[in-house]
Amino acid sequence: MPAPVAGLFTPFTIGDVELKHRIVMAPLTRNRASKSASNPRTWVPNDLMVEYYSQRATDGGLIISEATPVSLNASGMLGVPGMFTEEQSEGWKKVTAAIHAKGGKAFCQLWHQGRNSHSIVSGSQPVSSSAVPITDSPHSWAGLPTMPFEVPHALTIEEIQSVQEDFVKAAKLALASGFDGVEIHAANGYLFDQFHHTNINLRTDAYGGSIPARCRFTLETVDKICAAVGSGRFGVRLAPFGFFNQTLGEQRLEQWTWLCEELAKRNLAYVHLIEPRFDEIKSENEKLAALGEVEIKVDEVTLKPFRAALGSTPVIAAGGYTPQNSHDGIPAGEHDLVAFGRYFCSNGDLVERIRNNLPLYKYNRARFYGPFEDNEVGYTVHPDAVFV
């Protein structure tokens, strides 16, 4: 009898973690955490977050947490729970317990915003690969005044090592908090990406100049986390074609292919790739047109070269997926799992809706990012929900 064709609802193993289906909840910043009463400027998971994650947990399904700062300096938004205090860990334990109670699996996405952060939130100057600020938009989030981004401090080699240690400590704390693994956010113009991109990374030392040097910070951190928690419980998120946070680097195809070849040597649980069509702000057509303007050939605007470079490393693909376009890539060998983001915001039971071909509720962008006085609206309850 021939083997069944791989699809969304077939089992799959990522590293040390066995899954019963291949729909992944993508990391989604929602800014619903509670302000700590004991640790200034920090935020902790709360009961509302427990309910939110529980609603979206499924038997054998993978949830990747919202982006979670590894230190106070790593954060530039209100309402974002970190992974660097015991108080935060205790809050996350309730979240992971709720996910596990439904048979689900959870990876914590570890995050450093780098130059995208702000001293008004962290109390310290932002850091980056080089002293190059974001200039095409202001720092503007709920509960904060709109103001220009600050010029970041260029990390010294000693400070780079300190940041790497923050990631290692956060990874260990995440597993102690009940997570089944961790993922580093090395995409979307945050700190790792600020080393990747040539328009940001102007360094002339071992962390800048060449493709291997620009990827060194990422790969060193990968190796240190793998040594701490095991490669089978570790993943990396990349956006080879991202523009978010003014990432306008050159040599995209060459650099991310080389980086994926290196990651393929490390026996990771997975690499999480964002589709070129996806953008935080632009429409799909606008994004693809913009890629053409930076001289990336149309036949290269695909994740296929990176999939090939990763070899047998499992690939999660994210960005612009719907119930209609999510079924073909897995049997075609383009990726192994599919991550949904925005539709999980408005459909806590998204997996079952896709499984049973049921209509989806529209998401409300205005309720994506809190904090709000009524944090539950557009998060765990959807009073104005209508079908797509």
Side-chain angles (χ1 to χ4, degrees), residues 310-330:
L310 286 164
S312 61
T313 302
V315 170
I316 301 174
Y321 280 100
T322 68
Q324 291 71 41
N325 69 4
S326 59
H327 292 274
D328 298 334
I330 293 174

Side-chain angles (χ1 to χ4, degrees), residues 56 58 363:
R56 287 150 183 79
T58 58
Y363 49 79

Side-chain angles (χ1 to χ4, degrees), residues 23-272:
I23 296 175
V24 178
M25 178 173 158
L28 298 166
T29 298
R30 303 304 306 276
N31 309 79
R32 262 50 173 214
S34 295
K35 192 172 185 177
S36 171
S38 54
N39 295 294
R41 298 180 182 270
T42 68
W43 300 78
V44 295
N46 53 34
D47 290 343
L48 183 64
M49 288 177 56
V50 173
E51 181 182 359
Y52 168 80
Y53 279 103
S54 177
Q55 288 175 344
R56 287 150 183 79
T58 58
D59 185 27
L62 176 63
I63 287 177
I64 304 174
S65 80
E66 60 207 87
T68 306
V70 299
S71 67
L72 188 54
N73 180 256
S75 182
M77 304 169 72
L78 304 182
V80 177
M83 185 62 79
F84 54 92
T85 72
E86 287 300 321
E87 183 185 25
Q88 290 167 339
S89 175
E90 290 302 313
W92 280 117
K93 285 178 182 178
K94 297 177 183 178
V95 172
T96 57
I99 294 171
H100 291 153
K102 288 194 169 182
K105 307 295 182 180
F107 272 49
C108 181
Q109 188 188 69
L110 303 179
W111 192 35
H112 196 306
Q113 290 185 248
R115 69 176 189 162
N116 186 256
S117 65
H118 202 285
S119 62
I120 195 173
V121 177
S122 68
S124 60
Q125 182 183 6
V127 300
S128 188
S129 59
S130 301
V132 179
I134 295 173
T135 59
D136 65 349
S137 61
H139 185 273
S140 179
W141 293 105
L144 296 171
T146 297
M147 61 185 71
F149 281 99
E150 297 165 298
V151 176
H153 164 68
L155 288 166
T156 66
I157 290 178
E158 292 76 14
E159 289 166 342
I160 285 173
Q161 294 169 348
S162 178
V163 170
Q164 291 171 334
E165 185 58 27
D166 287 338
F167 273 92
V168 170
K169 290 178 180 177
K172 291 180 178 179
L173 189 59
L175 265 64
S177 304
F179 281 98
D180 300 287
V182 296
E183 166 186 298
I184 60 168
H185 196 342
N188 294 2
Y190 299 116
L191 185 58
F192 292 105
D193 232 10
Q194 291 161 30
F195 278 79
H196 296 157
H197 281 270
T198 55
N199 69 304
I200 306 169
N201 184 347
L202 308 182
R203 301 177 76 102
T204 57
D205 63 5
Y207 291 91
S210 67
I211 287 174
R214 292 195 300 272
C215 295
R216 181 177 178 178
F217 175 50
T218 298
L219 291 173
E220 285 183 348
T221 309
V222 167
D223 289 340
K224 290 180 179 182
I225 295 176
C226 286
V229 303
S231 61
R233 296 190 179 276
F234 179 64
V236 179
R237 193 178 213 211
L238 301 173
F241 298 113
F243 288 148
F244 192 54
N245 289 320
Q246 213 170 5
T247 47
L248 306 173
E250 300 172 345
Q251 296 182 293
R252 289 176 184 251
L253 185 62
E254 297 87 350
Q255 176 161 315
W256 273 267
T257 298
W258 185 89
L259 179 54
C260 287
E261 288 172 347
E262 289 298 309
L263 292 173
K265 301 173 183 177
R266 288 160 166 83
N267 198 32
L268 304 182
Y270 64 82
V271 171
H272 187 177

Side-chain angles (χ1 to χ4, degrees), residues 303-356:
L303 296 180
K304 291 179 181 179
F306 315 116
R307 167 66 164 188
L310 286 164
S312 61
T313 302
V315 170
I316 301 174
Y321 280 100
T322 68
Q324 291 71 41
N325 69 4
S326 59
H327 292 274
D328 298 334
I330 293 174
E334 295 176 3
H335 45 257
D336 302 293
L337 305 99
V338 177
F340 286 79
R342 295 169 181 175
Y343 279 116
F344 259 117
C345 292
S346 51
N347 298 269
D349 58 348
L350 178 64
V351 172
E352 293 310 310
R353 287 186 174 277
I354 294 174
R355 190 196 303 270
N356 296 300

